[in-house]
Amino acid sequence: IERLGSRRVSRYQFRNYLFQKYLYDSLDEVERAYLHEDVGNALEELYLDQASDMADIAAIAASAVQLAWHFEEAGLAEKAIHYLHQAGERAVSLSAYLEWRAHLIRELELLLSLPESPERAEHELDLQLSLGWAWMASESAVIESREAYTQAIELCRQTGKTSELPRAVGMLQTCHYVAGDCLRALELAEEALHLGQQAEDPMLVAAGHWRLGFTWFTLAEHTAARAHLKQISAYYQPEHHHAFVSLCGSDPGPSALAYDACSLWCLGYPEQALQRSQEALALARELNHSPTLAEIHHFAECLLSSMRHDAQSLKESADELMQWADDRGMRGWVAAGILYRGEALVRLGQVQAGTARMREGMGGFRARGAGVHLSGTRCCIAEAQAMQGHFEDGLATLEEALTLAERTGERLWRAELYRVRGELLLAQSAAASTAAERCFEQAIEVARRQQARSWELRATNSLCRLWQRQGKTTEARQRLSEIYGWFTEGFETADLTEAKALLGELPS
C-alpha cells in the first residue's frame, strides 16, 4: 500500500511471471481490451493527482509509455498516440534519441492504422519531420532520413501546409550533404533559401544561408562559403536556439563558426581559424544541445585538426567525440570519432592499428549511407598503405578518392589528394620524379583556384623538396619564398615551420 497524490493505492505482483501470462492468455480478446482500458483510465486518473494537466503526466510519473501500451491494447489508438508523443518529447529532452525514434516509429504505425483524413495527413507530416531528424541524430542514417523528408515534402503539397516546406526541403538537403552528394545538396540549399525569401521569414533566410555556407565549403569555394556563413552569424542570437533547432535539427549559430574556422584555415589564416574554432565550441557548450555539440566536436575540432595534420590534437578531440557520443547513443557520431582516432594513430606512427580504425569508422559511416569528407579519410589511408610499403594499393586508393570527389563535387581535399599522389610516386621510385612534379604542380593549381593558401603551401613544400634534390635550388627558393611571404600568422604551425626550415637549407 502506498500513497499516490491524495490517494492510497495497493500494488500487486505475481510470484511468477508464468502465472500472470497464463491468466492473461486465458482472457478472450474483448475481456483483455476492456481490462487494458480500465487499467489505463485508472492510472490516468491517479497520475492526474500529481499533474497540473494531461501533458505533465509523462514528466512527473514517467508513465506515458505504460499508458500508451494499455490504450493500444485496448484498441484506443488515438489515446495511445497521445501518450507515445508525450514519451517521445520526454526522451528527446533527455537526449535519448534511440528511444525517441522508437516512440516515433510506433506512433506513426498507429496513426496510419486510422482512417485517412486531413487531420491524419497533417499529423503524419509532423511525425515524418521529427522521424527524419531522429534517424539523423541517433544513427546519422541517411537513407531512412531521406525517405522521411521526401514523404514530408509530399505531405506538404498534399495538405497545402506549405509553411513546413522550407524545413522539409532544408532537412532533405542535409541528408544529401551527409551522404556526400554535394551537387544535389547545393541545389536543395538554393531551393531552401529561395523558399525562405518567398516567405519573407528572416529565420528561414538565415537557415538557407547556413546551408549554402557549409555546402560551398565542401565544394572548396571558401570565399562564397564565408559570405553565406557571415549572413547567419550577423542574424544569430542565442535566444534563437530553440527555434533554429526545431527548423534545422542543430543550431546554425555555432555551426557557422565551426565551418568558418575550417574555411579560414584553408584560406591561409591558421590562428584566426583556431580562435573561431574555440568560439564555436564555447557557444555550443553554453547551449548544451547534443546534436549541435556533436557537430562542433566533428568540424571545429576533428576536421580542423585533420586538415592541419595536428595528430595529438586530433586524437584528443576524436576520443572526446567518441566518448561523448557513445554516452548519448549517437552511433553515427561514434563512427566519426573512430575514423578520426584512426587517422591520428596513423600520424602518430601506429600505422596498422590506425588503418584498421579508419576502415572501421568508414564502414560505420557507409552503413548509414553517409559519405561526406571521406575523400580525406581515403587520402590518409593511402598514406598509411605507403608507410607499409603498399604503394600500388595507396595509389589505387587515391584514384578511388579522386573519382569519387569528381562524381559528388566534394573538392575540399582535391589539392591534397594530388600532392599525396606525388609523394607516393616518389616513394615508390626515384625515377618517377617527372610524374611526381606534375602532381605537385596540379595540387598547387587546384589550391590557387580555390584560393586555399594552406593547401598551396603544403604542395609547394613538397615540390620544392623535390627541386632541392634535383639541384634546382634557385627555382625552389623563389617559389617557396613567394607563398611563405604571403602568410601573416601561424608561423608555429607545421607547414609554415617546414617551409621556413626548407628556405634555410636553400642558398640565397
Side-chain angles (χ1 to χ4, degrees):
I1 297 175
E2 63 182 80
R3 184 170 292 280
L4 192 63
S6 62
R7 301 165 187 253
R8 286 182 179 177
V9 296
S10 299
R11 294 189 184 274
Y12 296 87
Q13 184 175 343
F14 285 87
R15 287 185 181 275
N16 191 301
Y17 167 71
L18 291 175
F19 295 139
Q20 181 182 2
K21 185 175 186 306
Y22 172 78
L23 290 171
Y24 185 80
D25 290 346
S26 70
L27 298 170
D28 68 32
E29 190 176 337
V30 175
E31 285 181 300
R32 194 178 299 166
Y34 276 126
L35 281 172
H36 275 293
E37 183 176 359
D38 287 344
V39 171
N41 288 333
L43 288 173
E44 193 176 55
E45 188 178 344
L46 285 168
Y47 291 137
L48 275 172
D49 276 355
Q50 296 177 292
S52 60
D53 57 50
M54 297 284 278
D56 288 336
I57 291 177
I60 292 179
S63 59
V65 176
Q66 181 187 21
L67 287 166
W69 176 67
H70 282 300
F71 288 125
E72 181 181 347
E73 292 298 317
L76 300 173
E78 290 182 352
K79 292 196 79 168
I81 287 168
H82 168 78
Y83 284 113
L84 280 170
H85 184 75
Q86 297 298 327
E89 286 193 340
R90 182 171 186 272
V92 77
S93 72
L94 299 171
S95 298
Y97 295 103
L98 289 171
E99 186 181 336
W100 179 39
R101 191 184 75 204
H103 293 323
L104 287 169
I105 290 171
R106 188 62 194 134
E107 188 180 349
L108 181 60
E109 288 171 351
L110 286 173
L111 180 70
L112 295 179
S113 71
L114 298 175
E116 288 188 22
S117 68
E119 292 74 21
R120 192 190 89 167
E122 286 196 18
H123 192 162
E124 185 189 351
L125 170 58
D126 293 338
L127 280 179
Q128 294 288 5
L129 288 168
S130 296
L131 187 57
W133 177 240
W135 276 112
M136 289 296 286
S138 60
E139 298 276 2
S140 297
V142 174
I143 296 169
E144 292 84 354
S145 295
R146 191 164 55 210
E147 289 174 356
Y149 290 126
T150 301
Q151 179 63 14
I153 290 170
E154 179 60 33
L155 286 163
C156 283
R157 291 169 179 148
Q158 178 185 323
T159 61
K161 198 174 180 181
T162 54
S163 60
E164 293 289 3
L165 195 55
R167 178 183 171 196
V169 170
M171 293 305 293
L172 182 62
Q173 185 268 350
T174 300
C175 293
H176 282 276
Y177 172 76
V178 173
D181 186 358
C182 301
L183 298 177
R184 179 60 179 146
L186 179 63
E187 293 173 359
L188 288 166
E190 289 172 340
E191 183 180 350
L193 176 59
H194 178 66
L195 287 168
Q197 290 168 336
Q198 279 188 323
E200 298 182 346
D201 185 324
M203 186 164 287
L204 291 175
V205 171
H209 282 297
W210 169 64
R211 296 184 190 284
L212 279 168
F214 66 69
T215 306
W216 279 123
F217 162 72
T218 308
L219 291 164
E221 297 288 346
H222 300 295
T223 303
R226 294 201 70 215
H228 286 288
L229 294 171
K230 283 178 180 177
Q231 293 283 336
I232 177 71
S233 295
Y235 172 78
Y236 182 79
Q237 296 293 331
E239 53 265 30
H240 294 149
H241 169 70
H242 294 292
F244 265 129
V245 166
S246 176
L247 179 64
C248 303
S250 64
D251 194 312
S255 174
L257 294 174
Y259 282 106
D260 194 41
C262 293
S263 276
L264 279 166
W265 182 86
C266 292
L267 289 166
Y269 302 100
E271 288 181 8
Q272 293 179 56
L274 282 176
Q275 182 181 347
R276 195 60 47 83
S277 165
Q278 290 160 7
E279 290 171 11
L281 192 59
L283 178 55
R285 283 176 172 155
E286 179 186 328
L287 296 169
N288 195 30
H289 177 245
S290 294
T292 301
L293 261 169
E295 184 178 1
I296 302 312
H297 280 309
H298 183 280
F299 291 102
E301 293 193 301
C302 292
L303 180 61
L304 184 58
S305 296
S306 172
M307 293 192 300
R308 293 172 63 235
H309 283 185
D310 186 342
Q312 189 57 45
S313 175
L314 178 59
K315 182 177 179 295
E316 292 168 5
S317 298
D319 286 345
E320 185 177 1
L321 174 59
M322 265 195 309
Q323 184 62 57
W324 188 90
D326 189 47
D327 289 345
R328 289 155 181 80
M330 302 173 77
R331 295 171 184 170
W333 293 113
V334 172
I338 291 171
L339 187 155
Y340 281 119
R341 189 176 200 279
E343 180 181 338
L345 292 176
V346 167
R347 301 204 182 283
L348 290 168
Q350 300 177 48
V351 180
Q352 192 168 350
T355 303
R357 296 293 271 173
M358 275 196 292
R359 291 195 183 281
E360 179 189 350
M362 193 159 66
F365 254 41
R366 288 190 298 206
R368 292 165 172 80
V372 69
H373 299 305
L374 289 186
S375 57
T377 303
R378 288 182 174 88
C379 187
C380 187
I381 288 175
E383 291 179 276
Q385 289 168 323
M387 291 175 194
Q388 298 173 84
H390 306 309
F391 298 108
E392 289 298 333
D393 290 342
L395 290 167
T397 299
L398 290 172
E399 192 59 39
E400 178 188 348
L402 283 163
T403 301
L404 180 66
E406 186 66 30
R407 177 170 59 81
T408 63
E410 183 188 292
R411 296 190 283 268
L412 177 64
W413 296 91
R414 196 174 179 194
E416 182 70 347
L417 290 168
Y418 284 127
R419 186 194 71 82
V420 173
R421 179 197 270 174
E423 294 287 5
L424 263 61
L425 288 170
L426 276 180
Q428 184 181 33
S429 169
S433 59
T434 302
E437 181 176 349
R438 192 161 50 245
C439 288
F440 297 146
E441 291 283 18
Q442 217 169 354
I444 291 168
E445 181 186 346
V446 168
R448 284 176 176 172
R449 283 203 304 268
Q450 297 174 356
Q451 298 179 290
R453 294 288 189 171
S454 290
W455 295 126
E456 182 184 350
L457 173 66
R458 190 173 292 169
T460 303
N461 281 339
S462 292
L463 176 65
C464 292
R465 283 283 180 199
L466 172 60
W467 282 354
Q468 182 189 35
R469 290 195 291 271
Q470 293 174 337
K472 297 159 64 173
T473 55
T474 303
E475 296 94 323
R477 183 171 186 83
Q478 181 180 348
R479 178 72 74 92
L480 190 55
S481 295
E482 288 173 3
I483 182 65
Y484 184 81
W486 181 90
F487 282 83
T488 58
E489 62 181 63
F491 292 103
E492 301 304 315
T493 59
D495 293 316
L496 282 162
T497 301
E498 180 185 346
K500 183 179 180 181
L502 180 53
L503 281 169
E505 297 169 15
L506 296 169
S508 302

